[in-house]
Amino acid sequence: MSAWLRDESPLSPGMSDDERRTDIFGLLRDEGRHHTARVTPAGAEWLASAGPYSRSTLSLWTAHPTAPAVLPCGSAFDVVNAPAIFGRRMLDRLWSDGPGSGPVAAYRGRTLLFTAPGTAQRLPSLLSWEEWGGSGNSGRETAPPPLLCHGTGDAVTVPPLSPGPASGPRWLVAPDTRHPWLPGPDVLLWACVRAARDQTASGTGSVPRPRTAPEPSTGAVVGAAARLPQSCS
């Protein structure tokens, strides 16, 4: 995986977007081969394709490579937004026992798993059909903590292409291809069940489930529409 453009890289105001992108991507290939969890040129193209103005998005990242960006869900990807610890358990299971994951980000105590479009709509119903145990039923997995599903009509804050402040969003698994593989709702359900099993085995129990979906952490997820994102639980 590659690093994104350095802050000091020259940008000529007279260059076209295509010429500027060519120079930027050349720098990326030459400078960042040894870095991990950083976006490659192809990954940046994929992220930009989520919005209607991909060239403008790439130009903005050219000028501000260390700034987070807000991208719409539902076209290139959906996002499943989990509490940090449970999200890490899901990610561990996806990589140790499953097919792997798509891009994954972390921000303000949440883990954002990028998934196939349509996952935000289907995953809540799959989770509702699952038979979860309670504290008095050790034969079943404890129910997962509330998850948020972001799909069409929602937007998320994604980490900068070049690492910014340590307290800001960061990539755990950075996008590195123009067409990354993204898990669908069935794979996410599988990961939830196994993460819940780990949660039960560790004795951490379940976070109480609210009657309505909780608001995302301030700045972590920005709604593109007035409605709340769907609760996956």
Side-chain angles (χ1 to χ4, degrees):
M1 297 180 181
S2 300
W4 188 243
L5 176 67
R6 295 184 307 183
D7 290 342
E8 65 269 25
S9 298
L11 297 175
S12 301
M15 295 172 65
S16 69
D17 285 342
D18 289 339
E19 292 171 331
R20 183 175 297 175
R21 278 216 312 259
T22 299
D23 282 357
I24 290 169
F25 291 171
L27 285 169
L28 291 175
R29 285 186 289 270
D30 292 341
E31 296 174 0
R33 297 182 187 277
H34 64 285
H35 295 291
T36 60
R38 299 192 183 189
V39 182
T40 64
E45 294 270 12
W46 172 71
L47 285 171
S49 73
Y53 308 107
S54 59
R55 294 182 65 180
S56 297
T57 300
L58 288 169
S59 296
L60 179 62
W61 284 337
T62 296
H64 304 285
T66 60
V70 177
L71 296 177
C73 300
S75 175
F77 54 78
D78 284 357
V79 170
V80 173
N81 180 339
I85 294 176
F86 191 81
R88 291 298 187 94
R89 287 189 175 127
M90 291 176 64
L91 185 58
D92 286 345
R93 283 297 186 171
L94 285 169
W95 282 104
S96 63
D97 301 327
S101 74
V104 180
Y107 188 38
R108 293 193 175 182
R110 307 290 295 186
T111 299
L112 309 181
L113 296 101
F114 287 68
T115 64
T119 300
Q121 182 177 6
R122 293 186 56 202
L123 183 58
S125 60
L126 293 178
L127 286 170
S128 69
W129 277 96
E130 192 70 25
E131 295 185 358
W132 305 104
S135 58
N137 188 348
S138 59
R140 294 175 183 168
E141 293 80 16
T142 304
L147 308 178
L148 297 176
C149 290
H150 307 287
T152 302
D154 301 321
V156 294
T157 298
V158 302
L161 305 183
S162 181
S167 60
R170 67 188 186 281
W171 291 107
L172 303 178
V173 181
D176 59 0
T177 70
R178 184 60 179 80
H179 301 285
W181 178 81
L182 298 172
D186 294 338
V187 173
L188 265 292
L189 175 65
W190 176 90
C192 279
V193 169
R194 280 151 183 79
R197 184 177 301 162
D198 294 340
Q199 175 178 266
T200 303
S202 67
T204 56
S206 173
V207 177
R209 302 172 74 181
R211 296 180 65 86
T212 57
E215 290 280 0
S217 301
T218 304
V221 178
V222 181
R227 67 177 178 83
L228 281 172
Q230 298 183 66
S231 172
C232 297
S233 298

